[in-house]
Amino acid sequence: MASLADYAPDDRTARVMLSIIAEPGDAKVGRLLARVGGVETIRLLDTDTAMPELRREEAEVLRHRVRLASDGADFDELMPRLLDGRYAPLIPGDRDWPAGLADLGERAPYVLWAEGATSLLSRPVSDLVTITGSRASTSYGNLVAGEIAAGLAEEEKVVIAGGAYGIEAAAHRAALSTGGSAIAVLAGGIDLNYPRGNTELLDTIRAVGAVVSEQPPGAVPTRSRFLARSRVLAALSSATIVPEAGARSGALVTTDHALRLGRGVGAVPGPVTSAASTGPHLLIQDQRATLVTRASDAQALMDRPGSSQSRLEGRTAPGSSLESELTQAERDEPGRRL
């Protein structure tokens, strides 16, 4: 019977396999990658050999997850399909690998699947801005998100969002309508349009911008993958802007990551009677975000010294359960299916 290492003769192929069998953003896997490289990481995950810098109990938990994720997978069929050239599996050191992801350290993506104008990913971090927020946005939120995105796109900034309904879709559409550039970061495989209602929008971004994901083609979105994607949305850009978000919105997880990375965070004030503006108001009230009302405000955040440099001591929300939430999500969904 072939071992996992038999399918990973080089670092790129090994990282592609890790995107299948390991949870995204796993610091223990990232630690192994940094210490021994992709090929040896795969071998260690598939044997009982001691893992550098990991306790035996930690190593056994990792191996258990790998066994669950790889159980029943036909790697003889799967690996050639993933590496058939249709999509670009980018890894650190590639020309278009985004520089901002280095700030994630051990939680950086193992690989980044990309389709479209991948050169957008290699733009300076200061040229990229993330706009995220409520899926159940109001007309006010959509209007402001669109005006900010359009204004930044006119200044040749690249607008990053997750392609979701609401604020993210409004930002994407506004950037594209001005002839600007957009990057959609998906929680599932880049071959799957999610949500389906935004298929036309995502296909347009594929044609004139870029669609990326750390999940391999065929991977379905899950709660843990949405949570893990938040750190990528934050790390890719110099600032994250939140026009609208509820008090417990996933957009606030993205701002937590942005603060930890020393990125700029901006929030748009709204009606005090609107639940969709609760998140931005909390960010402003707790002094975790700069008040933003127009594109020039967002531009100032992007240009701020240090906004594109790692600063891990950046504050998170009071009582933030960012790390525990990610860890719990991994426990809830240990298996992966393509």
Side-chain angles (χ1 to χ4, degrees), residues 116-209:
T118 59
S119 60
L120 292 174
L121 297 167
S122 62
R123 292 273 294 273
V125 178
S126 57
D127 283 351
L128 286 79
V129 61
T130 295
I131 300 179
T132 186
S134 176
R135 291 172 173 80
S137 56
T138 68
S139 57
Y140 165 80
N142 291 339
L143 174 65
V144 177
E147 289 182 345
I148 292 172
L152 291 171
E154 288 173 353
E155 296 299 320
E156 299 187 351
K157 304 302 180 182
V158 180
V159 174
I160 299 173
Y165 294 132
I167 294 299
E168 294 186 339
H172 278 316
R173 290 192 175 98
L176 295 173
S177 69
T178 66
S181 300
I183 297 173
V185 183
L186 305 185
I190 59 172
D191 57 329
L192 303 178
N193 284 325
Y194 185 89
R196 290 187 179 181
N198 280 350
T199 292
E200 183 178 354
L201 172 62
L202 291 171
D203 284 344
T204 300
I205 295 173
R206 284 187 178 89
V208 299

Coordinates of all heavy atoms in Angstrom, one line a residue, residues 116-209:
G116 N -7.2 33.2 -12.5 CA -7.4 34.6 -13.0 C -6.1 35.3 -13.0 O -5.0 34.7 -13.2
A117 N -6.1 36.6 -12.7 CA -4.9 37.5 -12.8 C -4.2 37.3 -11.5 O -4.3 38.2 -10.6 CB -5.4 38.9 -13.0
T118 N -3.4 36.3 -11.3 CA -2.7 36.0 -10.1 C -1.6 37.1 -9.8 O -1.2 37.2 -8.7 CB -2.0 34.6 -10.1 OG1 -1.1 34.6 -11.2 CG2 -3.1 33.5 -10.3
S119 N -1.3 37.9 -10.8 CA -0.3 38.9 -10.6 C -0.8 40.0 -9.6 O 0.0 40.7 -8.9 CB 0.1 39.6 -11.9 OG -1.0 40.2 -12.5
L120 N -2.2 40.1 -9.4 CA -2.7 41.0 -8.5 C -2.3 40.7 -7.0 O -2.2 41.5 -6.2 CB -4.3 41.0 -8.5 CG -4.9 41.5 -9.8 CD1 -6.4 41.3 -9.7 CD2 -4.6 43.0 -9.9
L121 N -2.0 39.4 -6.8 CA -1.6 38.9 -5.5 C -0.2 39.4 -5.1 O 0.1 39.5 -3.9 CB -1.7 37.4 -5.4 CG -3.0 36.8 -5.6 CD1 -2.9 35.3 -5.8 CD2 -3.9 37.1 -4.4
S122 N 0.6 39.7 -6.1 CA 2.0 40.1 -5.8 C 2.1 41.7 -5.7 O 3.2 42.2 -5.6 CB 2.9 39.6 -6.9 OG 2.6 40.1 -8.2
R123 N 1.0 42.4 -5.8 CA 1.0 43.8 -5.7 C 1.5 44.1 -4.2 O 1.2 43.3 -3.3 CB -0.4 44.4 -5.9 CG -0.8 44.3 -7.4 CD -0.4 45.5 -8.2 NE -1.0 46.7 -7.7 CZ -2.2 47.2 -8.1 NH1 -2.9 46.5 -9.1 NH2 -2.6 48.4 -7.7
P124 N 2.1 45.3 -4.0 CA 2.4 45.6 -2.6 C 1.2 45.6 -1.7 O 0.1 45.9 -2.1 CB 2.9 47.1 -2.8 CG 3.4 47.2 -4.2 CD 2.4 46.3 -5.0
V125 N 1.4 45.1 -0.5 CA 0.3 45.0 0.5 C -0.4 46.4 0.6 O -1.6 46.4 0.8 CB 0.9 44.6 1.9 CG1 -0.3 44.5 2.9 CG2 1.5 43.2 1.7
S126 N 0.3 47.5 0.5 CA -0.3 48.8 0.6 C -1.2 49.1 -0.5 O -2.0 50.1 -0.4 CB 0.8 49.9 0.7 OG 1.7 49.8 -0.5
D127 N -1.2 48.3 -1.5 CA -2.2 48.5 -2.7 C -3.5 47.8 -2.5 O -4.4 47.9 -3.3 CB -1.5 48.1 -4.0 CG -0.6 49.2 -4.5 OD1 -0.5 50.3 -3.9 OD2 0.2 48.9 -5.5
L128 N -3.6 46.9 -1.5 CA -4.7 46.1 -1.3 C -5.5 46.4 -0.1 O -4.9 46.8 1.0 CB -4.3 44.6 -1.2 CG -3.8 43.9 -2.5 CD1 -2.4 44.3 -2.8 CD2 -3.8 42.4 -2.4
V129 N -6.8 46.4 -0.2 CA -7.7 46.7 0.9 C -8.8 45.6 1.0 O -9.3 45.2 0.0 CB -8.4 48.1 0.7 CG1 -9.2 48.2 -0.6 CG2 -9.2 48.5 1.9
T130 N -9.2 45.2 2.2 CA -10.2 44.3 2.4 C -11.5 45.0 2.9 O -11.4 45.8 3.8 CB -9.8 43.2 3.5 OG1 -8.7 42.5 3.0 CG2 -11.0 42.3 3.8
I131 N -12.6 44.7 2.2 CA -13.9 45.2 2.7 C -14.8 44.1 3.0 O -15.0 43.2 2.1 CB -14.5 46.1 1.6 CG1 -13.6 47.3 1.3 CG2 -15.9 46.6 2.0 CD1 -14.1 48.2 0.2
T132 N -15.3 44.0 4.2 CA -16.1 42.9 4.6 C -17.2 43.3 5.5 O -17.2 44.5 6.0 CB -15.3 41.8 5.3 OG1 -16.1 40.6 5.5 CG2 -14.7 42.3 6.6
G133 N -18.2 42.5 5.7 CA -19.3 42.9 6.6 C -20.5 42.0 6.5 O -20.4 40.9 6.0
S134 N -21.6 42.5 6.9 CA -22.9 41.8 7.0 C -23.4 41.2 5.7 O -23.4 41.9 4.7 CB -23.9 42.6 7.7 OG -25.2 41.9 7.7
R135 N -23.8 40.0 5.7 CA -24.5 39.4 4.5 C -25.9 40.0 4.4 O -26.4 40.3 3.3 CB -24.6 37.9 4.6 CG -23.2 37.2 4.4 CD -23.3 35.7 4.7 NE -22.1 35.0 4.4 CZ -21.0 35.0 5.2 NH1 -21.0 35.6 6.3 NH2 -19.9 34.3 4.8
A136 N -26.5 40.2 5.6 CA -27.9 40.8 5.6 C -27.7 42.3 5.7 O -28.2 43.0 6.7 CB -28.7 40.3 6.8
S137 N -27.1 42.9 4.7 CA -26.8 44.4 4.8 C -28.0 45.2 4.4 O -29.0 44.7 3.8 CB -25.7 44.7 3.8 OG -26.0 44.2 2.5
T138 N -28.0 46.5 4.8 CA -29.1 47.4 4.4 C -28.7 48.1 3.1 O -27.5 48.1 2.7 CB -29.3 48.4 5.5 OG1 -28.2 49.3 5.6 CG2 -29.5 47.7 6.9
S139 N -29.6 48.9 2.6 CA -29.3 49.7 1.4 C -28.3 50.7 1.7 O -27.4 51.1 0.9 CB -30.6 50.3 0.9 OG -31.2 51.1 1.9
Y140 N -28.3 51.2 3.0 CA -27.3 52.2 3.4 C -25.9 51.6 3.4 O -24.9 52.2 2.9 CB -27.7 52.7 4.8 CG -26.5 53.4 5.5 CD1 -26.2 54.7 5.2 CD2 -25.7 52.7 6.5 CE1 -25.2 55.4 5.9 CE2 -24.7 53.4 7.1 CZ -24.4 54.7 6.8 OH -23.4 55.3 7.5
G141 N -25.8 50.4 4.0 CA -24.5 49.7 4.0 C -24.0 49.4 2.6 O -22.8 49.6 2.4
N142 N -24.8 48.9 1.8 CA -24.4 48.6 0.4 C -23.9 49.9 -0.3 O -23.0 49.9 -1.1 CB -25.5 48.0 -0.4 CG -25.9 46.6 0.1 OD1 -25.0 46.0 0.8 ND2 -27.1 46.1 -0.2
L143 N -24.7 51.0 -0.1 CA -24.3 52.3 -0.8 C -22.9 52.7 -0.3 O -22.1 53.1 -1.1 CB -25.3 53.3 -0.4 CG -25.0 54.7 -0.9 CD1 -25.0 54.8 -2.5 CD2 -26.1 55.7 -0.4
V144 N -22.7 52.7 1.0 CA -21.4 53.2 1.5 C -20.3 52.3 1.1 O -19.2 52.7 0.7 CB -21.5 53.4 3.0 CG1 -20.1 53.8 3.6 CG2 -22.5 54.4 3.4
A145 N -20.5 51.0 1.2 CA -19.5 50.0 0.8 C -19.1 50.2 -0.6 O -17.9 50.2 -1.0 CB -20.0 48.6 1.1
G146 N -20.1 50.4 -1.5 CA -19.9 50.6 -2.9 C -19.1 51.9 -3.2 O -18.2 51.9 -4.0
E147 N -19.5 53.0 -2.5 CA -18.8 54.3 -2.7 C -17.3 54.2 -2.3 O -16.4 54.7 -3.0 CB -19.5 55.4 -1.9 CG -20.9 55.7 -2.5 CD -21.5 56.9 -1.8 OE1 -21.1 57.2 -0.7 OE2 -22.5 57.5 -2.3
I148 N -17.1 53.5 -1.2 CA -15.7 53.4 -0.7 C -14.9 52.5 -1.6 O -13.7 52.8 -2.0 CB -15.7 52.8 0.7 CG1 -16.2 53.8 1.7 CG2 -14.2 52.4 1.1 CD1 -16.4 53.3 3.1
A149 N -15.5 51.4 -2.1 CA -14.8 50.5 -3.0 C -14.5 51.1 -4.3 O -13.4 51.0 -4.9 CB -15.6 49.2 -3.2
A150 N -15.5 51.8 -4.8 CA -15.3 52.5 -6.1 C -14.2 53.6 -6.0 O -13.4 53.7 -6.9 CB -16.6 53.1 -6.6
G151 N -14.2 54.4 -5.0 CA -13.2 55.4 -4.8 C -11.8 54.8 -4.7 O -10.9 55.4 -5.3
L152 N -11.7 53.7 -4.0 CA -10.3 53.1 -3.9 C -9.9 52.5 -5.2 O -8.8 52.6 -5.6 CB -10.4 52.0 -2.8 CG -10.5 52.6 -1.4 CD1 -10.7 51.5 -0.4 CD2 -9.3 53.4 -1.0
A153 N -10.9 51.9 -5.9 CA -10.6 51.3 -7.2 C -10.1 52.3 -8.2 O -9.2 52.1 -9.0 CB -11.8 50.5 -7.7
E154 N -10.7 53.5 -8.1 CA -10.3 54.6 -9.0 C -8.9 55.0 -8.8 O -8.2 55.6 -9.7 CB -11.3 55.8 -8.9 CG -12.7 55.5 -9.5 CD -13.7 56.6 -9.2 OE1 -13.3 57.5 -8.4 OE2 -14.8 56.5 -9.7
E155 N -8.4 54.8 -7.6 CA -7.0 55.1 -7.2 C -6.1 53.9 -7.4 O -5.0 53.8 -7.0 CB -6.9 55.5 -5.7 CG -7.7 56.8 -5.4 CD -7.1 58.0 -6.2 OE1 -5.9 58.1 -6.4 OE2 -7.9 58.8 -6.7
E156 N -6.6 52.9 -8.2 CA -5.9 51.7 -8.6 C -5.6 50.8 -7.4 O -4.5 50.1 -7.4 CB -4.6 52.1 -9.4 CG -5.0 52.8 -10.7 CD -3.7 53.0 -11.5 OE1 -2.6 52.8 -11.1 OE2 -3.9 53.5 -12.7
K157 N -6.4 50.8 -6.4 CA -6.3 49.9 -5.3 C -7.1 48.6 -5.6 O -8.1 48.7 -6.3 CB -6.7 50.5 -4.0 CG -6.1 51.8 -3.6 CD -4.5 51.7 -3.5 CE -3.9 53.0 -3.2 NZ -2.4 52.8 -3.1
V158 N -6.6 47.5 -5.1 CA -7.3 46.2 -5.3 C -8.2 45.9 -4.2 O -7.8 45.9 -3.0 CB -6.2 45.1 -5.5 CG1 -6.9 43.8 -5.7 CG2 -5.2 45.4 -6.6
V159 N -9.5 45.7 -4.5 CA -10.5 45.5 -3.5 C -10.6 44.0 -3.2 O -10.9 43.2 -4.1 CB -11.8 46.1 -3.9 CG1 -12.9 45.7 -2.9 CG2 -11.7 47.6 -4.0
I160 N -10.4 43.6 -2.0 CA -10.5 42.2 -1.6 C -11.7 41.9 -0.7 O -12.0 42.7 0.2 CB -9.3 41.7 -0.7 CG1 -8.0 41.9 -1.6 CG2 -9.4 40.3 -0.3 CD1 -6.7 41.7 -0.8
A161 N -12.5 40.9 -1.0 CA -13.6 40.5 -0.2 C -13.9 39.0 -0.4 O -13.1 38.3 -1.1 CB -14.9 41.3 -0.6
G162 N -14.9 38.5 0.3 CA -15.1 37.1 0.2 C -16.2 36.6 -0.8 O -16.5 35.4 -0.8
G163 N -16.7 37.6 -1.5 CA -17.7 37.2 -2.6 C -19.1 36.8 -2.0 O -19.9 36.3 -2.7
A164 N -19.3 37.1 -0.7 CA -20.6 36.8 -0.1 C -21.7 37.8 -0.5 O -21.4 38.8 -1.0 CB -20.4 36.8 1.4
Y165 N -22.9 37.5 -0.1 CA -24.0 38.4 -0.3 C -23.8 39.7 0.6 O -23.0 39.6 1.5 CB -25.3 37.8 0.2 CG -25.8 36.6 -0.7 CD1 -26.3 35.4 -0.1 CD2 -25.9 36.7 -2.0 CE1 -26.7 34.4 -0.8 CE2 -26.3 35.6 -2.8 CZ -26.7 34.5 -2.2 OH -27.1 33.4 -3.0
G166 N -24.5 40.7 0.3 CA -24.4 41.9 1.2 C -23.2 42.8 0.9 O -22.9 43.1 -0.3
I167 N -22.5 43.2 2.0 CA -21.4 44.1 1.9 C -20.4 43.7 0.9 O -19.9 44.5 0.1 CB -20.8 44.4 3.3 CG1 -21.9 45.1 4.2 CG2 -19.6 45.2 3.2 CD1 -22.3 46.4 3.7
E168 N -19.9 42.4 1.0 CA -18.8 42.0 0.1 C -19.2 42.0 -1.3 O -18.4 42.5 -2.2 CB -18.4 40.6 0.5 CG -17.8 40.6 1.9 CD -17.2 39.2 2.3 OE1 -17.6 38.2 1.7 OE2 -16.4 39.2 3.2
A169 N -20.4 41.6 -1.7 CA -20.8 41.7 -3.1 C -20.9 43.1 -3.6 O -20.6 43.4 -4.7 CB -22.2 41.0 -3.2
A170 N -21.4 44.0 -2.7 CA -21.5 45.4 -3.1 C -20.2 46.0 -3.3 O -20.0 46.8 -4.3 CB -22.2 46.2 -2.0
A171 N -19.2 45.6 -2.5 CA -17.8 46.1 -2.7 C -17.2 45.6 -4.0 O -16.6 46.4 -4.8 CB -16.9 45.8 -1.5
H172 N -17.4 44.3 -4.2 CA -16.9 43.7 -5.5 C -17.5 44.4 -6.7 O -16.8 44.8 -7.7 CB -17.2 42.2 -5.5 CG -16.3 41.4 -4.8 ND1 -14.9 41.5 -4.8 CD2 -16.5 40.3 -4.0 CE1 -14.3 40.6 -4.1 NE2 -15.3 39.8 -3.5
R173 N -18.8 44.5 -6.7 CA -19.5 45.1 -7.9 C -19.0 46.5 -8.2 O -18.8 46.9 -9.3 CB -21.0 45.0 -7.7 CG -21.5 43.6 -7.8 CD -23.1 43.6 -7.9 NE -23.6 42.2 -8.0 CZ -24.0 41.4 -7.0 NH1 -24.1 41.9 -5.8 NH2 -24.4 40.2 -7.3
A174 N -18.9 47.3 -7.1 CA -18.5 48.7 -7.3 C -17.1 48.8 -7.8 O -16.9 49.6 -8.7 CB -18.6 49.4 -5.9
A175 N -16.2 48.0 -7.3 CA -14.8 48.0 -7.8 C -14.8 47.7 -9.3 O -14.1 48.3 -10.1 CB -13.9 47.1 -7.0
L176 N -15.5 46.6 -9.7 CA -15.5 46.2 -11.1 C -16.2 47.2 -12.0 O -15.8 47.4 -13.1 CB -16.2 44.8 -11.2 CG -15.6 43.7 -10.5 CD1 -16.5 42.4 -10.5 CD2 -14.2 43.3 -11.1
S177 N -17.2 47.9 -11.5 CA -18.0 48.8 -12.3 C -17.1 50.0 -12.7 O -17.4 50.7 -13.7 CB -19.2 49.3 -11.6 OG -18.9 50.1 -10.4
T178 N -16.1 50.3 -11.9 CA -15.2 51.4 -12.2 C -14.0 51.0 -13.1 O -13.1 51.8 -13.4 CB -14.7 52.1 -11.0 OG1 -13.8 51.2 -10.3 CG2 -15.8 52.5 -10.1
G179 N -14.0 49.7 -13.5 CA -12.9 49.2 -14.2 C -11.7 48.8 -13.3 O -10.6 48.6 -13.8
G180 N -12.0 48.7 -12.0 CA -10.9 48.4 -11.0 C -10.7 46.9 -10.9 O -11.3 46.1 -11.6
S181 N -9.8 46.5 -10.0 CA -9.4 45.1 -9.8 C -10.0 44.6 -8.5 O -10.2 45.3 -7.5 CB -7.9 45.0 -9.7 OG -7.3 45.5 -10.9
A182 N -10.4 43.3 -8.5 CA -11.0 42.7 -7.3 C -10.4 41.3 -7.1 O -10.1 40.6 -8.1 CB -12.5 42.6 -7.5
I183 N -10.3 40.9 -5.9 CA -9.9 39.5 -5.5 C -10.9 39.0 -4.6 O -11.3 39.6 -3.6 CB -8.5 39.5 -4.8 CG1 -7.4 40.0 -5.7 CG2 -8.2 38.1 -4.3 CD1 -6.0 40.2 -5.0
A184 N -11.4 37.8 -4.9 CA -12.4 37.1 -4.1 C -11.7 35.9 -3.4 O -11.1 35.1 -4.0 CB -13.6 36.6 -4.9
V185 N -11.8 35.9 -2.1 CA -11.1 34.8 -1.3 C -12.3 33.9 -0.8 O -13.1 34.3 0.0 CB -10.4 35.4 -0.1 CG1 -9.7 34.3 0.7 CG2 -9.3 36.4 -0.5
L186 N -12.3 32.7 -1.3 CA -13.4 31.8 -1.0 C -13.1 30.8 0.1 O -11.9 30.5 0.4 CB -13.7 31.0 -2.3 CG -14.0 31.7 -3.5 CD1 -14.4 30.8 -4.7 CD2 -15.1 32.8 -3.3
A187 N -14.1 30.4 0.8 CA -13.9 29.4 1.9 C -13.9 28.0 1.5 O -13.6 27.1 2.2 CB -15.0 29.6 3.0
G188 N -14.4 27.7 0.2 CA -14.4 26.4 -0.4 C -13.4 26.4 -1.6 O -12.7 27.3 -1.8
G189 N -13.5 25.4 -2.4 CA -12.7 25.3 -3.6 C -13.0 26.4 -4.6 O -14.2 26.8 -4.7
I190 N -12.0 26.8 -5.3 CA -12.2 27.9 -6.2 C -13.0 27.5 -7.4 O -13.4 28.4 -8.2 CB -10.9 28.5 -6.7 CG1 -10.0 27.5 -7.4 CG2 -10.1 29.1 -5.5 CD1 -8.8 28.1 -8.1
D191 N -13.3 26.2 -7.6 CA -14.1 25.8 -8.7 C -15.6 25.8 -8.3 O -16.5 25.5 -9.2 CB -13.7 24.3 -9.1 CG -13.8 23.3 -8.0 OD1 -13.6 23.8 -6.8 OD2 -14.0 22.2 -8.3
L192 N -15.9 26.1 -7.1 CA -17.3 26.1 -6.6 C -17.7 27.5 -6.4 O -17.1 28.2 -5.6 CB -17.4 25.3 -5.4 CG -17.0 23.8 -5.4 CD1 -17.2 23.2 -4.1 CD2 -17.8 23.1 -6.5
N193 N -18.8 28.0 -7.0 CA -19.3 29.3 -6.8 C -20.2 29.3 -5.5 O -21.2 28.6 -5.5 CB -20.1 29.8 -8.0 CG -19.3 30.2 -9.1 OD1 -18.2 30.8 -8.9 ND2 -19.7 30.0 -10.3
Y194 N -19.7 30.0 -4.5 CA -20.5 30.0 -3.2 C -20.5 31.5 -2.7 O -19.4 32.0 -2.6 CB -19.9 29.1 -2.2 CG -20.8 29.0 -0.9 CD1 -21.8 28.1 -0.8 CD2 -20.6 29.9 0.1 CE1 -22.6 28.1 0.3 CE2 -21.4 29.9 1.2 CZ -22.4 29.0 1.3 OH -23.2 29.0 2.4
P195 N -21.6 32.0 -2.5 CA -23.0 31.5 -2.7 C -23.4 31.4 -4.1 O -22.9 32.2 -5.0 CB -23.9 32.4 -1.9 CG -23.2 33.7 -2.0 CD -21.7 33.4 -1.9
R196 N -24.2 30.4 -4.5 CA -24.6 30.2 -5.9 C -25.2 31.5 -6.5 O -25.1 31.7 -7.7 CB -25.5 29.0 -6.0 CG -24.8 27.7 -5.7 CD -25.7 26.5 -6.0 NE -25.1 25.3 -5.8 CZ -25.6 24.1 -6.0 NH1 -26.9 24.0 -6.4 NH2 -25.0 23.0 -5.8
G197 N -25.9 32.2 -5.7 CA -26.6 33.4 -6.2 C -25.6 34.5 -6.7 O -26.0 35.4 -7.4
N198 N -24.3 34.3 -6.3 CA -23.3 35.3 -6.8 C -22.5 34.7 -7.9 O -21.3 35.1 -8.1 CB -22.4 35.7 -5.6 CG -23.1 36.8 -4.8 OD1 -24.1 37.4 -5.2 ND2 -22.5 37.1 -3.6
T199 N -23.0 33.6 -8.6 CA -22.2 33.0 -9.6 C -21.7 33.9 -10.7 O -20.5 33.9 -11.1 CB -23.0 31.8 -10.2 OG1 -23.2 30.8 -9.3 CG2 -22.3 31.2 -11.4
E200 N -22.6 34.8 -11.2 CA -22.2 35.7 -12.2 C -21.1 36.6 -11.8 O -20.2 36.9 -12.5 CB -23.4 36.5 -12.7 CG -23.1 37.4 -13.9 CD -24.4 38.2 -14.4 OE1 -25.5 37.9 -13.9 OE2 -24.2 39.1 -15.2
L201 N -21.3 37.1 -10.5 CA -20.3 38.0 -10.0 C -18.9 37.3 -9.8 O -17.9 37.9 -10.2 CB -20.7 38.5 -8.6 CG -19.7 39.3 -7.8 CD1 -19.3 40.6 -8.5 CD2 -20.3 39.6 -6.4
L202 N -18.9 36.1 -9.3 CA -17.6 35.4 -9.1 C -17.0 35.1 -10.4 O -15.8 35.1 -10.6 CB -17.9 34.2 -8.3 CG -18.2 34.4 -6.8 CD1 -18.7 33.1 -6.1 CD2 -17.1 35.1 -6.1
D203 N -17.8 34.7 -11.4 CA -17.3 34.4 -12.8 C -16.7 35.7 -13.4 O -15.6 35.6 -14.1 CB -18.3 33.8 -13.7 CG -18.7 32.4 -13.3 OD1 -17.8 31.7 -12.6 OD2 -19.7 31.9 -13.8
T204 N -17.3 36.8 -13.1 CA -16.7 38.1 -13.6 C -15.3 38.3 -13.0 O -14.4 38.8 -13.7 CB -17.6 39.2 -13.4 OG1 -18.9 39.0 -14.1 CG2 -17.1 40.5 -13.9
I205 N -15.3 38.1 -11.7 CA -14.0 38.3 -11.0 C -12.9 37.4 -11.5 O -11.8 37.7 -11.7 CB -14.2 38.1 -9.5 CG1 -15.1 39.2 -8.9 CG2 -12.8 38.2 -8.7 CD1 -15.5 39.0 -7.5
R206 N -13.3 36.1 -11.8 CA -12.4 35.2 -12.4 C -11.8 35.7 -13.8 O -10.7 35.5 -14.1 CB -13.0 33.8 -12.7 CG -13.2 33.0 -11.5 CD -13.8 31.6 -11.9 NE -13.9 30.8 -10.7 CZ -15.0 30.7 -10.0 NH1 -16.0 31.4 -10.3 NH2 -15.0 29.9 -8.9
A207 N -12.7 36.4 -14.5 CA -12.3 36.8 -15.9 C -11.4 38.1 -15.8 O -10.5 38.2 -16.6 CB -13.6 37.1 -16.7
V208 N -11.7 39.0 -14.9 CA -10.9 40.3 -14.9 C -10.1 40.5 -13.6 O -9.3 41.4 -13.6 CB -11.9 41.4 -15.1 CG1 -12.6 41.3 -16.4 CG2 -12.9 41.6 -14.0
G209 N -10.3 39.7 -12.6 CA -9.5 39.8 -11.4 C -9.0 38.4 -11.0 O -8.4 37.7 -11.8

